[in-house]
Amino acid sequence: MDLVDRDLEREIHAALRRLPAPRAPHSLAPRVMQAVVAASATREGWRQWPLAWQLLGLVAACCTAAALALAIPLTADWMASLPAARAAAALWQTFIAPIATPVLVLTAVMFAASALLVAALKHVAWEGQESSHP
C-alpha cells in the first residue's frame, strides 16, 4: 500500500506541476493602489487636529518633559542614599561596566553590518526583479 501511495503522490505532483501558474487579475493593482490612497487620505495625524488641541498637546508634552527633567535628579539623589542602590552600583562597576562598553560597540557594529548587507542585497536581488516586470 505504501508503494501505491507514493505512485499516487508522484502522479498528483506531476499533474500539479503541469498546471499554469495562477495570475492576478489586471484590475488588482489599480484597486490596491486606490485602497492605499483612500487609507492614507483618511489617516488623521497631529497636523489635522484643531489648533487649540495642537497647542494643548504641545503644552502637555512640554510639561511632561519638564516634570521628568526635575524628577530624575531628585529620584537619583534619593536612590543613592539607599543601601541596596549602593550595593547595585558596586556590582555594576565591578562586573557589568567592564564588559558593557565592548558589548555595546560590538552590537552597534553588527547592526551597521546587517543594515549594509540588507541594503546591498536589496540593490542586487530586488532591483533586478523590478526591472524584469513590465
Side-chain angles (χ1 to χ4, degrees), residues 75-87:
T75 305
D77 290 342
W78 173 73
M79 285 185 67
S81 65
L82 298 175
R86 286 186 297 223

Side-chain angles (χ1 to χ4, degrees), residues 31-71:
R31 289 187 312 199
V32 169
M33 294 306 292
Q34 287 174 348
V36 168
V37 168
S40 65
T42 60
R43 189 180 325 156
E44 290 188 25
W46 185 74
R47 291 186 178 202
Q48 280 74 33
W49 291 7
L51 182 60
W53 285 104
Q54 287 182 4
L55 292 175
L56 183 65
L58 182 63
V59 168
C62 290
C63 288
T64 303
L68 285 173
L70 292 173

Side-chain angles (χ1 to χ4, degrees), residues 114-131:
S114 298
L116 289 172
L117 180 63
V118 167
L121 285 175
K122 181 179 178 186
H123 178 69
V124 171
W126 291 300
E127 179 120 350
Q129 289 180 357
E130 290 174 358
S131 63

